[in-house]
Amino acid sequence: MNAAVTTAMGRADFEQALRRKGHYYHIHHPYHRDMYSGKCTPEEIRGWVANRYYYQVNIPRKDAAIMANCPDASVRRLWLQRILDHDGHDDNKGGIEAWLNLAEAVGLSREEVIDQRHVLPGVRFAVDAYLHFARRATWQEAACSSLTELFAPEIHQSRLESWPNHYPWIKTEGYSYFRKRLSEARRDVEHGLTITLDHFTTANQQARALEILQFKLDILWTMLDALTMAYRHRTPPYHSVTDQSVWHRGL
């Protein structure tokens, strides 16, 4: 067990402690590493896209929960942009629509992605845990959980650089989401990081923030564990009793 921390870190040291959590970002999961190195089958790519959709559609719901708990109008005005980025506004169709374009580019139909028939229970439980946390936590804690965005530009850039070479069967118009998020994630992380550095100033608060960030990393890693079991090891839920996808699609 780690020894209790009694001295607060300075702002720069605390930021570096947060950034060191990048060692556990899901870019290092074997499923992701195989996607970047061209080792994934079309089924594995499609499975990832279909399951990740459930995460995508819950991002604006998570952000709305943060705003609902935040009494600071200046924070809400800035945080609102995240919802618009995903749900769309005016002539910008948003990130969820861009993800559906990716789904079609890898050979999935919009219908089968939107109805969530492929979403595995492990993925659903992980995403639901994130949404539940955002609703019950303080708005500063929920904002802190978004700091996996610190590491997101690297993951989007890796997809843009490696996928066209390894998976020429994916239609190029499907990559718009990753290009879009390169700039959006950098902007978002500046705001989330400022909130975290400003609010979590005592030793106990900083330890709490690091635990919250680890919780979010656990969610992302667990989603890929579920995909690994289903698509890599061929052992989806209930595989020992049926070859049908009998799991629930939401309650």
Side-chain angles (χ1 to χ4, degrees):
M1 182 177 294
N2 295 332
V5 178
T6 58
T7 303
M9 290 176 275
R11 192 177 182 92
D13 288 341
F14 181 36
E15 179 176 343
Q16 287 306 306
L18 292 166
R19 291 185 181 276
R20 281 195 295 273
K21 285 291 187 178
H23 293 303
Y24 310 108
Y25 192 48
H26 63 166
I27 195 172
H28 303 296
H29 193 285
Y31 202 100
H32 261 314
R33 290 205 305 263
D34 284 350
M35 281 199 287
Y36 304 138
S37 61
K39 295 179 181 177
C40 278
T41 65
E43 181 188 24
E44 288 166 348
I45 295 290
R46 292 177 186 125
W48 176 76
V49 171
N51 276 269
R52 179 79 181 190
Y53 174 79
Y54 188 65
Y55 180 86
Q56 299 302 130
V57 295
N58 276 287
I59 289 175
R61 298 180 68 197
K62 173 267 299 183
D63 289 325
I66 293 174
M67 291 177 61
N69 290 331
C70 178
D72 189 329
S74 64
V75 172
R76 294 198 304 269
R77 281 193 294 269
L78 289 174
W79 208 271
L80 176 62
Q81 186 60 49
R82 297 170 182 249
I83 296 178
L84 297 176
D85 287 342
H86 283 83
D87 282 346
H89 60 94
D90 301 324
D91 294 330
N92 181 347
K93 293 185 177 180
I96 293 174
E97 180 62 28
W99 196 268
L100 288 170
N101 290 338
L102 172 63
E104 291 180 311
V106 302
L108 294 163
S109 69
R110 294 173 68 92
E111 178 185 6
E112 67 183 304
V113 176
I114 291 172
D115 72 15
Q116 302 175 12
R117 71 186 69 172
H118 301 300
V119 177
L120 297 162
V123 170
R124 189 179 296 276
F125 295 153
V127 174
D128 288 352
Y130 184 33
L131 182 58
H132 177 67
F133 174 80
R135 286 170 170 166
R136 66 178 175 80
T138 68
W139 69 268
Q140 296 98 332
E141 289 180 333
C144 176
S145 71
S146 74
L147 285 184
T148 48
E149 292 165 343
L150 283 166
F151 325 117
E154 179 184 359
I155 209 168
H156 296 313
Q157 189 63 48
S158 295
R159 292 166 186 153
L160 289 169
E161 290 175 353
S162 65
W163 281 29
N165 293 326
H166 294 312
Y167 310 111
W169 52 271
I170 298 177
K171 298 176 182 177
T172 56
E173 55 266 29
Y175 295 119
S176 63
Y177 177 86
F178 304 137
R179 288 191 291 268
K180 185 173 183 290
R181 287 303 296 165
L182 279 174
S183 60
E184 292 175 353
R186 291 188 178 98
R187 179 208 64 212
D188 290 346
V189 78
E190 290 180 10
H191 187 210
L193 183 60
T194 297
I195 291 171
T196 300
L197 296 177
D198 286 347
H199 177 75
F200 296 88
T201 56
T202 70
N204 285 339
Q205 287 173 336
Q206 290 172 349
R208 171 70 172 166
L210 290 168
E211 186 71 5
I212 288 169
L213 183 51
Q214 186 61 58
F215 162 73
K216 175 63 179 305
L217 292 164
D218 292 349
I219 286 169
L220 297 173
W221 198 274
T222 296
M223 290 168 63
L224 291 176
D225 284 346
L227 288 168
T228 299
M229 293 298 293
Y231 294 101
R232 182 62 49 90
H233 298 315
R234 316 301 300 177
T235 54
Y238 308 109
H239 70 277
S240 60
V241 293
T242 181
D243 60 359
Q244 301 298 309
S245 302
V246 297
W247 48 82
H248 73 290
R249 297 189 190 179
L251 300 174

